[in-house]
Amino acid sequence: MDLAAAQHGGAHPQHARRCGARRGAVGVAGPLRRGLAATKCACKAALQLPCPLEGQRRQRQRQRQGASPPAPAAERGPCALFFPPQRQHRRRPCAPPAASAAHFALPQQLLELQSQPGWDVACMLLAAVAAYGWVKLFDRLAGSGALDRKLSRKLVHATAGPLFMLTWPLFSAAPEARFFAAAVPALNATRLLLVGSGALSDPGLVKSTSRGGGARELLGGPLYYVAVLAAITAGLWRAAPAGLVAVSMVCGGDGLADIVGRRWGAGNPLPWNAAKSWAGSAAMALGGAAMALGFILAFSALGYFPSYELDALLPRVAAVSVACTLVESLPINTVVDDNLSVPAVGVALTAALLPA
């Protein structure tokens, strides 16, 4: 009995020859099958299709590492035959929240400067000098006749407050920083008191900030203006958008309304107040809303208060702007000055519609 017959336990020689022929065919077909598989892998790699041998290699590697293999392609759906499962990335743990949102958003160089002793005093002096220089510039322009006195007064009214608010991010996060900042408009209020009472002579200041050229006028609207700035800075500061909106309504709204109303409001007075015009009221509503939106977006980007979605922020700011415009248009200037009524309404409505 030959070897094939011995392996089959004495089977028939013809059956042994058939088994030997089958084994020979398998021995020849094995390398051929592996070659065909390699050729398929090369073609699929050229077509950027998943390679079955590569998937088997990765599955064996996962099994050696103790990881559970992915679900079969039949369980993942028909698309898994062409699109391999995505690699699962481990999420990194979230960083702990910063102690102050403003400290997270401000540049590191500014944060290092804010930690220096005396930084807030230096910012106060810088803001005071800048405010004095800005008003003095319009004093010179109005005194020389290069700029109309009424236009000069309204330009100071419209720009002094926003320029002052731009210095707020320079101050540190210390609790007393707001009071150093509030000292800037307080110093201007002291100057107005001295000039308006006659204790100090400053003709340029009188020409650039008064309506009729009298020094006593400085004790009215101009004094209320800087007093409101000081109160908003000390009371609201950077923690809520109410102060930003109120100052924007007084400056970008009321200041722009007078400029536009004098130029284009002659033929379109309001029905309830002939001294006001539709052109001036529209300019106040649009200008105040635009300035308020700009400051809210800027300060929320710096991290002083939570960010608001624009589609929710826009109608609320518009509502506050329209309400402030309506209050400014009422014939109550002889009872309540616009520099007091407009910011009061702006703070109240903003605090209700946009809580910090």
Side-chain angles (χ1 to χ4, degrees):
M1 184 181 294
D2 56 1
L3 180 59
Q7 289 177 351
H8 284 77
H12 194 273
Q14 185 177 0
H15 177 69
R17 284 193 297 270
R18 287 199 301 269
C19 293
R22 189 180 299 111
R23 289 193 185 93
V26 170
V28 174
L32 179 60
R33 190 178 294 111
R34 288 193 293 272
L36 290 175
T39 304
K40 290 180 180 180
C41 290
C43 294
K44 290 179 178 181
L47 296 175
Q48 296 183 353
L49 297 175
C51 176
L53 295 183
E54 180 66 19
Q56 295 175 6
R57 184 187 66 80
R58 291 181 179 177
Q59 185 175 1
R60 288 195 299 269
Q61 185 177 3
R62 292 192 193 98
Q63 291 175 356
R64 286 196 299 268
Q65 294 176 354
S68 58
E75 298 180 7
R76 297 196 304 268
C79 294
L81 297 174
F82 302 97
F83 302 98
Q86 298 293 327
R87 183 177 180 180
Q88 299 294 331
H89 297 278
R90 183 178 298 176
R91 292 184 176 180
R92 297 181 179 178
C94 296
S100 173
H103 281 187
F104 175 78
L106 290 176
Q108 185 64 30
Q109 295 81 359
L110 181 57
L111 294 178
E112 294 176 357
L113 291 175
Q114 289 180 350
S115 62
Q116 300 297 323
W119 174 257
D120 290 328
V121 177
C123 290
M124 177 192 68
L125 295 176
L126 176 63
V129 171
Y132 177 81
W134 186 252
V135 176
K136 201 67 178 177
L137 172 63
F138 287 97
D139 293 351
R140 295 288 182 88
L141 293 176
S144 63
L147 193 64
D148 181 69
R149 178 168 49 83
K150 293 181 180 179
L151 180 59
S152 171
R153 180 178 62 84
K154 277 304 176 181
L155 288 176
V156 172
H157 184 99
T159 58
L163 290 177
F164 171 61
M165 286 197 300
L166 290 177
T167 65
W168 286 6
L170 298 178
F171 291 85
S172 69
E176 64 275 9
R178 64 174 66 194
F179 301 108
F180 285 106
V184 177
L187 291 174
N188 287 328
T190 304
R191 182 188 175 199
L192 291 174
L193 280 172
L194 294 175
V195 176
S197 62
L200 183 66
S201 177
D202 194 340
L205 178 63
V206 174
K207 287 183 178 181
S208 63
T209 56
S210 64
R211 292 180 181 268
R216 297 292 296 180
E217 295 183 19
L218 301 184
L219 302 180
L223 182 60
Y224 299 152
Y225 179 90
V226 294
V228 166
L229 283 180
I232 288 177
T233 305
L236 298 175
W237 194 217
R238 304 172 299 199
L244 302 175
V245 174
V247 175
S248 299
M249 291 298 113
V250 174
C251 300
D254 188 19
L256 187 62
D258 196 355
I259 297 174
V260 175
R262 289 180 183 276
R263 185 174 181 85
W264 292 288
N268 49 82
L270 295 178
W272 58 89
N273 189 357
K276 306 290 183 178
S277 65
W278 287 107
S281 296
M284 176 175 178
L286 294 176
M291 183 177 291
L293 281 173
F295 273 108
I296 290 175
L297 294 177
F299 276 68
S300 62
L302 292 175
Y304 290 113
F305 43 80
S307 299
Y308 300 95
E309 296 293 336
L310 189 59
D311 56 350
L313 178 63
L314 185 59
R316 288 171 170 81
V317 172
V320 175
S321 180
V322 170
C324 292
T325 303
L326 180 61
V327 170
E328 192 270 343
S329 67
L330 296 177
I332 57 174
N333 291 342
T334 57
V335 180
V336 182
D337 192 271
D338 293 343
N339 293 318
L340 297 178
S341 60
V342 170
V345 173
V347 168
L349 288 181
T350 306
L353 296 178
L354 293 174

